[in-house]
């Protein structure tokens, strides 16, 4: 028998807030987290803006200083988000959940990028004996999940996933499946990324994927005819998923129900999306069908919406293929217009936004959508948030390598 799955806790570290209330308040009020890059020398690179996490201190989340000094930022972001989410959920390993039934699915698109760069630089300059013995266990992408499991005593399934920008939509979706089919009672699921370093910016810039705008308030402009690339962001988000009856039995506050998941592959190009949107639409349709979507539902879509010329058009086509005429009635927005694109963390950050939209009855805006691309002709909630009695929300993510993923949530009963 397939089980229902509840969302019982959430945590976030993002360019627009380092707690869920602050994050959500920023989104609904259209606050931009993108700023001019002032903390690094990019020499002649044309990229001038990014979306950095501000005011982050591991100590604020109870992360001990010795641990914080040893870990890459991607692990610290993930730990901080998990501490928020598990605290809200009320789960305590060995007390109200069996440790062997408590899992962690937290992934990263890249892992410890800062650590990799620093240790390679030491080896090139000073020789191999100067490479830190902690290099490997600090930089590998699964280490965020490992430290989260240690922190919360989660001895059940632990499955980090790396699918580029679809990473944390896949982790949440796979965690949902694991609980739905009885492999765990609760899973801490999400993603984390800290790739906002000079080599990361240089790599994406030279691949011609980043915006070259020098105006932080007009750089990440999804579905706008003037868009020219995404803005690199960073951060982490975590959701605590729990078997529905298990959550009810312990008196948990259920934030929403996760009720659908789909994934597919473009099998088309390493970096460009399939232009007709067909494979992307397949993952969206899977999630909607599993969620029992009908035309009577009031639907919110948190779009991948990267602000790249190819993505936004292909994604619009995907929505139309997946929904038919209902695509024109859906409330859609790209919160990347405010957060930038946090790569492997993006899907989880946007999952938090999707749950909050259901809870609050508010559709966050796509800011600066003042000149819509004629090929992106759906309701992308330009400039200002709108109120709506939402019943279902989906969040889709599309990653390099052709990875597509979509998750669906329903309003809590």
């Amino acid at each position: 028998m397939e089980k229902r799955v509840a969302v019982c806790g959430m945590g976030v570290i993002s360019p627009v807030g380092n707690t869920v209330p602050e994050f959500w308040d920023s989104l609904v009020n259209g606050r931009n987290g993108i700023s001019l890059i002032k903390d690094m020398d990019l020499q002649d690179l044309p990229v001038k803006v990014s979306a950095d996490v501000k005011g982050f201190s591991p100590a604020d989340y109870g992360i001990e200083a010795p641990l914080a000094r040893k870990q890459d930022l991607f692990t610290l972001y993930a730990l901080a988000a998990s501490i928020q989410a598990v605290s809200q959920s009320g789960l305590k390993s060995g007390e109200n959940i069996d440790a062997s039934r408590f899992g962690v699915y937290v992934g990263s698109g890249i892992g410890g990028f800062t650590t990799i760069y620093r240790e390679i630089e030491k080896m090139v300059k000073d020789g191999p004996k100067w490479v830190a013995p902690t290099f490997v266990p600090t930089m590998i992408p699964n280490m965020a999940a490992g430290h989260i499991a240690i922190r919360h005593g989660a001895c059940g399934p632990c499955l980090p996933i790396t699918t580029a920008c679809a990473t944390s939509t896949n982790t949440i979706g796979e965690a949902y499946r694991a609980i739905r089919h009885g492999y765990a009672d609760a899973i801490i699921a999400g993603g984390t990324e800290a790739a906002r370093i000079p080599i990361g910016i240089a790599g994406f810039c030279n691949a011609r994927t980043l915006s070259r705008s020098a105006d932080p308030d007009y750089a990440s402009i999804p579905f706008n005819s003037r868009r020219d690339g995404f803005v690199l962001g960073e951060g982490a988000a975590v959701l605590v998923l729990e078997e529905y009856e298990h959550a009810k039995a312990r008196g948990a506050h259920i934030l929403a129900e996760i009720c659908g998941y789909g994934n597919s592959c473009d099998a088309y190009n390493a970096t460009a999306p399939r232009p007709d949107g067909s494979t992307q639409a397949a993952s969206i349709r899977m999630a909607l069908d599993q969620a029992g979507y009908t035309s009577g539902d009031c639907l919110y879509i948190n779009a991948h919406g990267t602000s790249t010329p190819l993505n936004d058009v292909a994604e619009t086509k995907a929505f139309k293929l997946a929904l038919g005429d209902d695509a024109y009635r859906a409330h859609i927005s790209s919160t990347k217009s405010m957060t930038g694109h946090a790569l492997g963390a993006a899907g989880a950050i946007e999952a938090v936004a999707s749950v909050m939209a259901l809870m609050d009855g508010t559709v966050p805006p796509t800011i600066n959508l003042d000149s819509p691309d004629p090929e992106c002709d759906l309701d992308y909630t330009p400039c200002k948030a709108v109120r709506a009695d939402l019943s279902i929300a989906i969040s889709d993510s599309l990653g390099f390598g052709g990875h597509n993923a979509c998750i669906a949530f329903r309003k809590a009963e």
Side-chain angles (χ1 to χ4, degrees), residues 223 277 280-281 284 288 301-305 312-328 332-333 378 380 394 396 406:
F223 308 110
Q280 302 94 314
I284 295 166
L288 288 168
I301 303 174
N302 190 297
H304 189 55
D312 294 3
V313 172
E315 191 176 12
T316 300
K317 291 177 181 177
F319 293 146
K320 293 176 181 178
L321 287 171
L323 286 158
D325 290 342
D326 285 3
Y328 291 91
I332 314 172
S333 65
L378 302 177
Y380 286 112
I394 64 170
D396 72 303
C406 184

Side-chain angles (χ1 to χ4, degrees), residues 291-321:
Y293 169 80
T294 71
S295 293
D297 278 308
C298 186
L299 171 65
Y300 169 58
I301 303 174
N302 190 297
H304 189 55
T306 57
S307 186
T308 59
L310 296 179
N311 176 93
D312 294 3
V313 172
E315 191 176 12
T316 300
K317 291 177 181 177
F319 293 146
K320 293 176 181 178
L321 287 171

Side-chain angles (χ1 to χ4, degrees), residues 67-158:
L67 178 64
R69 283 195 296 271
K70 294 176 182 176
Q71 297 308 311
D72 194 276
L73 201 53
F74 90 105
T75 293
L76 296 176
Y77 285 162
L79 264 176
S82 79
I83 288 165
Q84 295 174 53
V86 174
S87 176
Q88 183 182 29
S89 77
L91 283 172
K92 294 182 180 179
S93 182
E95 294 184 23
N96 57 10
I97 185 166
D98 182 340
S100 69
R101 303 279 299 168
F102 192 17
V104 180
Y105 284 27
V106 173
S108 176
I110 298 172
F113 213 175
T114 299
T115 300
I116 294 167
Y117 182 80
R118 181 186 66 230
E119 297 302 322
I120 290 175
E121 186 177 43
K122 284 161 62 174
M123 182 166 178
V124 170
K125 287 184 177 179
D126 303 317
K129 71 177 182 179
W130 295 102
V131 174
T134 56
F135 170 46
V136 173
T138 303
M139 66 88 176
I140 48 180
N142 66 302
M143 200 46 62
H147 277 287
I148 289 170
I150 293 167
R151 170 70 57 158
H152 302 292
C155 301
C158 189

Side-chain angles (χ1 to χ4, degrees), residues 34-52 196 201 205 210-216 219 230-232:
I34 296 164
S35 56
L36 289 169
I37 298 170
K38 297 180 180 179
D39 60 340
M40 59 185 82
D41 181 9
L42 298 179
Q43 297 181 358
D44 297 326
L45 286 180
V47 174
K48 305 300 179 187
V49 300
S50 67
D52 58 310
R196 186 192 160 274
I201 293 172
C205 173
L210 295 183
S211 172
R212 301 184 176 210
S213 172
D215 181 357
F230 74 82
V231 172
L232 186 61

